[in-house]
Amino acid sequence: MTDRESPPRAKRRGREAMRQAIRQAMLDELVEHGYGDVSIEGVALRAGAAKTSVYRYWPTKEDLVIDALEHVLPSPEGHESAGRIREDFRAAARMMARSLAEQAGDVLMTLVGERRRHPAVAEAIMERLIRPRQRAMLELLRQAAARGEITAGSASAIPVLVGSGLLLQHFMHHGTAPDDEQIDEYIDQAVMPLLARPESSGPPA
Amino acid sequence: MTDRESPPRAKRRGREAMRQAIRQAMLDELVEHGYGDVSIEGVALRAGAAKTSVYRYWPTKEDLVIDALEHVLPSPEGHESAGRIREDFRAAARMMARSLAEQAGDVLMTLVGERRRHPAVAEAIMERLIRPRQRAMLELLRQAAARGEITAGSASAIPVLVGSGLLLQHFMHHGTAPDDEQIDEYIDQAVMPLLARPESSGPPA
C-alpha cells in the first residue's frame, strides 16, 4: 500500500468497525432467515453499509459467512497447553461452549440444516473451521503423549471426536451449550477413560 | 367405529397408502424447502391428496412431521438383545445409520437447523423420537449389567450419548451416515472402553 492509498488511522479503525458490523449482520440475518434466504442486500441494510462495501471484502455470501464465523469461534491457535491434558480439554471445551451459546451454535446448526440445499458452504465450514480446530485438539493430545502423560496410541482422533460430538449433540438436544459442570462430566466420564497412561500398559511394578 | 362407518378392507388399505404418501410428501417437502416454508397445501399437492385428508389425520404440521419421522426411524422397541452388548450396539447403530442415510438424517438436520425459529417441533422430536430411543439403548446396557457382562455403574447415559453423538456428528461433518466399518470403529474405540467388566473392579484373583 502506498502512502497515498493508506487511509488515516481513524478512517482505518472506522473501516474495521464497519467490517465487524457487516459480519455481525450476516450472522444475525442467517439465524433469522436461514442461509438460502439471506441476501447481501439485507446484510448491508442491517449493518448500515453499502452493498458495494460488502462485496469489496467478501466476493461471495459464503466468504462472508465463513469469515464471520471465524471471528466468533475460539481460535484454533490459542491452545497453549497447561501441561495436563484434562485441563487443556476443559479449557478448550469451555471456550467452544461459550462461543456456541453466544451465537455460533445457532449459526452452525442453521448451516447444517441447509446442507442438502447448500452443500458448498457446509463443506467450507468443515474444511476451514472445524478441521483446523480438531487438529489443534489432536496436537494437545500429541503433546501430552510427548511428555509421557498418555500413550502415543491415545493421541488419536477418537477422543477429540467424542468430545466434540458430545458438545454438538448437547447443543442439538437442548438448544443450549453445556455448562461447566456438564462439560466436566463429559470429559471425565467419556473422554478421559479413552486415554491410557503409559504405566498402565507396562508390567505391574 | 360402527359397521356403517367401517370401510371395506380394500378402501382401508387405500387409506393407509394415502396416509403413507402424505408422510413421504411431508419429508420430501421438508428437506426441499425447510420446515418454515412447508405448507400443508404443498404436501397435499405432492401426495395427490386433499388438504382435508391431511388435516383429518394430523391436526397440525408438527403432528405430521413427527409421525412421518417415526415411520422412517428404527423402532425403539425392536431391540431384542443378542446377549452381547457389543453386538446389540452394532445392530442398533447400523439400523440408525441406514435410516439417517436414507432420509431421516436430512430431515433431522433440517429441523435442528430451524430450532431457533421453530422450537416446538425440535422439542417434540427430542421428547417423542430421540429420548425413547436413548432409553432403549440404556435398557440394553441394563440388561448387560443384569447378566453380568458389564458393571451396574457402566449402564449409564454416557455410553449411549457417546455413540449417538458420534453418529450425529459424522452425519453433520460428512453429510452421510458412517458405513459398517466406521460404526465398528466408533463402538470399539469409543463406546466399549467406557464399559467396565465386573471382574476388573474386583480384587485381583
Side-chain angles (χ1 to χ4, degrees):
Chain A
M1 196 183 265
T2 67
D3 279 351
R4 196 198 180 107
E5 282 167 330
S6 172
R9 192 172 284 268
K11 199 166 174 196
R12 268 186 283 149
R13 265 209 301 274
R15 278 189 190 166
E16 181 45 33
M18 190 263 292
R19 278 197 290 262
Q20 192 43 40
I22 293 170
R23 289 187 195 105
Q24 188 55 52
M26 172 49 111
L27 299 180
D28 293 339
E29 288 278 298
L30 193 63
V31 172
E32 215 166 276
H33 305 294
Y35 184 79
D37 288 338
V38 165
S39 67
I40 291 297
E41 204 144 16
V43 169
L45 192 69
R46 186 169 198 138
K51 220 170 120 177
T52 49
S53 304
V54 182
Y55 284 119
R56 186 177 314 139
Y57 298 108
W58 303 277
T60 69
K61 192 160 93 169
E62 184 187 312
D63 291 321
L64 175 51
V65 169
I66 300 285
D67 185 47
L69 258 176
E70 184 72 81
H71 275 76
V72 294
L73 289 173
S75 162
E77 267 125 52
H79 299 298
E80 268 306 304
S81 172
R84 285 178 58 204
I85 190 64
R86 178 171 179 271
E87 299 314 310
D88 291 346
F89 270 23
R90 284 176 85 197
R94 284 172 184 215
M95 276 201 291
M96 184 54 82
R98 213 151 293 145
S99 169
L100 289 177
E102 266 165 28
Q103 192 173 33
D106 286 337
V107 172
L108 284 172
M109 293 301 145
T110 301
L111 293 167
V112 160
E114 289 175 84
R115 184 186 193 117
R116 220 34 99 203
R117 280 166 279 155
H118 304 283
V121 66
E123 276 152 33
I125 281 170
M126 267 310 290
E127 211 44 63
R128 293 168 58 187
L129 301 178
I130 308 295
R131 289 217 178 88
R133 285 164 178 82
Q134 290 179 336
R135 279 195 294 269
M137 293 295 100
L138 185 55
E139 180 52 33
L140 288 174
L141 284 173
R142 288 201 181 116
Q143 289 173 23
R147 67 178 175 260
E149 198 186 342
I150 61 173
T151 61
S154 296
S156 82
I158 286 284
V160 175
L161 290 173
V162 166
S164 60
L166 286 169
L167 208 58
L168 271 175
Q169 179 179 244
H170 188 103
F171 194 88
M172 285 177 66
H173 284 182
H174 304 280
T176 57
D179 61 20
D180 289 356
E181 200 181 337
Q182 180 66 70
I183 286 173
D184 284 356
E185 201 182 309
Y186 286 151
I187 289 178
D188 291 336
Q189 296 185 18
V191 179
M192 294 306 292
L194 302 176
L195 307 179
R197 292 191 188 189
E199 55 262 48
S200 73
S201 61
Chain B
M1 197 183 262
T2 67
D3 279 353
R4 194 197 183 106
E5 282 167 333
S6 174
R9 191 173 286 266
K11 200 167 172 194
R12 267 186 284 151
R13 265 208 301 272
R15 279 188 190 167
E16 180 46 32
M18 190 260 293
R19 278 197 290 262
Q20 192 43 41
I22 293 171
R23 290 187 194 103
Q24 187 56 53
M26 173 48 112
L27 300 180
D28 293 339
E29 288 278 299
L30 193 63
V31 172
E32 215 166 277
H33 304 294
Y35 183 78
D37 287 339
V38 166
S39 67
I40 292 297
E41 203 143 19
V43 170
L45 191 70
R46 187 169 196 138
K51 220 171 119 175
T52 50
S53 305
V54 181
Y55 284 120
R56 186 178 313 140
Y57 297 108
W58 303 277
T60 69
K61 192 160 92 169
E62 184 186 311
D63 291 320
L64 175 50
V65 168
I66 300 285
D67 185 48
L69 258 176
E70 184 72 80
H71 275 76
V72 294
L73 288 173
S75 162
E77 268 125 51
H79 298 297
E80 269 307 302
S81 172
R84 283 179 58 204
I85 191 64
R86 178 171 180 270
E87 298 315 311
D88 290 346
F89 271 22
R90 286 175 85 197
R94 284 172 185 215
M95 275 201 292
M96 183 54 81
R98 214 151 292 144
S99 170
L100 290 178
E102 266 164 28
Q103 191 174 32
D106 285 338
V107 172
L108 284 171
M109 293 301 145
T110 301
L111 294 167
V112 160
E114 287 175 86
R115 182 184 194 121
R116 220 34 98 201
R117 280 166 281 155
H118 305 282
V121 67
E123 276 152 34
I125 281 170
M126 267 311 290
E127 211 44 63
R128 293 168 59 187
L129 301 178
I130 308 294
R131 289 218 177 88
R133 284 163 178 83
Q134 290 179 335
R135 279 195 294 269
M137 293 295 101
L138 185 54
E139 181 53 33
L140 288 175
L141 283 173
R142 288 201 180 115
Q143 290 173 21
R147 66 177 175 261
E149 197 186 343
I150 62 172
T151 62
S154 296
S156 81
I158 286 283
V160 175
L161 291 173
V162 166
S164 60
L166 286 169
L167 208 57
L168 271 174
Q169 179 178 247
H170 188 102
F171 194 87
M172 285 177 65
H173 284 182
H174 304 281
T176 57
D179 61 20
D180 289 356
E181 201 182 337
Q182 179 66 69
I183 286 173
D184 284 356
E185 201 182 311
Y186 286 151
I187 289 177
D188 290 337
Q189 296 185 19
V191 179
M192 294 307 291
L194 302 176
L195 308 179
R197 294 191 186 191
E199 56 261 50
S200 73
S201 63

